[in-house]
Amino acid sequence: MAQNMMLYWSSGSPPCWRLMIALEEKKLQGYKHKHLCFDKKEHQCEEVKALNPRVQVPTFKHGDLIVNESFAACLYLESAFKSQGARLIPEDPAEQALVYQRMFETNNLQQKMYDVAFYEWYVPEGERLESALKRNRETLVTELKLWDGYLEKMGKGSFLAGKDFTMADVVCFPVIAYFPRFHCPKEKCPRLMEYYEMVKDRPSIKASWPPHWLENPEGPDTLKNL
């Protein structure tokens, strides 16, 4: 099964990482893959262009089927291999709803983190404003409090959508992992950092850990002033 799969990916990309976690959780090791460097614009290669009109990674192919959006690819794997590996979407409709809610809320957390952590990357030097960066930090702190509240309500030792590891964790953990890497103060999101410590050694996450993070465990300190 996995031998018929091909994944084009980049190290440290949350969308790529979540798909790799899903592959591990569904016991689909052995898939073909190609690591592409963002800095060298390798993701814009002809192989990716032929499969993905947006020229983005992850680009994922299973047999003749192409699924490029990371959420869609993760949900495809759960549906296609429902009885294999970990069950990532619960049967109960109410539990499903919470999993889906946390999954899609991840987009908010990711974008607000990017607005601070990569501010100098996105905004040209002549257009940068300290007041804008301050607003971005305040917005991110508010978002972190929201996620901390979710975990607080569910109780110590909970995953993002309850007592079981689900697709919500697959999707969101790669975003949460940026906070300790980029030196976010633990007091800004203590529950999320407890969650991070609990989940980071899960086999599927360790097996898919970004290679360049292993080589350089310390990232930039762009979140230290939250």
Side-chain angles (χ1 to χ4, degrees):
M1 290 179 287
Q3 291 83 356
N4 292 330
M5 296 178 178
M6 180 66 186
L7 173 66
Y8 296 87
W9 63 286
S10 293
S11 179
S13 158
C16 294
W17 192 1
R18 67 175 58 116
L19 182 49
M20 296 170 82
I21 294 172
L23 286 160
E24 291 289 331
E25 289 288 338
K26 301 309 291 184
K27 304 298 181 186
L28 292 167
Q29 296 89 350
Y31 58 90
K32 298 174 185 176
H33 63 94
K34 187 170 185 178
H35 178 217
L36 303 170
C37 178
F38 274 134
D39 291 342
K40 297 178 182 178
K41 300 187 183 302
E42 291 176 349
H43 64 291
Q44 298 178 5
C45 67
E46 292 303 318
E47 290 176 73
V48 172
K49 286 181 181 179
L51 299 172
N52 189 336
R54 295 186 185 276
V55 196
Q56 296 173 340
V57 289
T59 289
F60 179 68
K61 190 171 185 288
H62 180 204
D64 294 328
L65 178 68
I66 300 168
V67 190
N68 290 320
E69 289 296 322
S70 64
F71 281 38
C74 287
L75 290 171
Y76 164 73
L77 292 176
E78 174 64 13
S79 179
F81 301 96
K82 196 169 185 177
S83 61
Q84 182 170 316
R87 185 67 177 271
L88 299 173
I89 302 292
E91 286 283 358
D92 181 77
E95 293 177 3
Q96 282 184 16
L98 182 58
V99 170
Y100 291 139
Q101 181 173 322
R102 295 291 178 265
M103 284 177 62
F104 291 106
E105 280 187 291
T106 297
N107 288 326
N108 295 324
L109 180 62
Q110 179 173 321
Q111 187 57 58
K112 289 167 185 175
M113 181 269 289
Y114 278 13
D115 288 343
V116 178
F118 299 108
Y119 182 76
E120 293 186 1
W121 176 271
Y122 288 132
V123 182
E125 185 174 1
E127 299 176 18
R128 295 172 194 162
L129 296 171
E130 184 58 35
S131 58
L133 180 55
K134 182 181 178 182
R135 284 195 302 273
N136 291 350
R137 288 175 180 147
E138 291 171 350
T139 300
L140 178 55
V141 169
T142 299
E143 184 73 16
L144 288 172
K145 288 179 180 178
L146 185 67
W147 285 84
D148 253 31
Y150 292 155
L151 287 168
E152 180 72 23
K153 184 177 180 180
M154 288 187 292
K156 192 173 181 63
S158 173
F159 292 101
L160 293 179
K163 60 183 178 60
D164 297 319
F165 184 92
T166 68
M167 193 65 80
D169 304 284
V170 170
V171 164
C172 197
F173 179 85
V175 177
I176 293 171
Y178 267 86
F179 289 91
R181 178 170 174 79
F182 283 6
H183 302 269
C184 175
K186 288 185 178 181
E187 62 270 18
K188 296 297 181 181
C189 50
R191 296 294 175 265
L192 272 180
M193 290 304 94
E194 286 178 7
Y195 165 84
Y196 168 82
E197 292 296 332
M198 179 182 77
V199 178
K200 67 182 177 65
D201 290 325
R202 188 175 176 90
S204 63
I205 289 171
K206 290 184 70 175
S208 56
W209 201 263
H212 81 281
W213 288 21
L214 292 172
E215 295 170 3
N216 298 292
E218 291 287 325
D221 60 2
T222 48
L223 295 178
K224 72 175 183 179
N225 292 323
L226 284 186

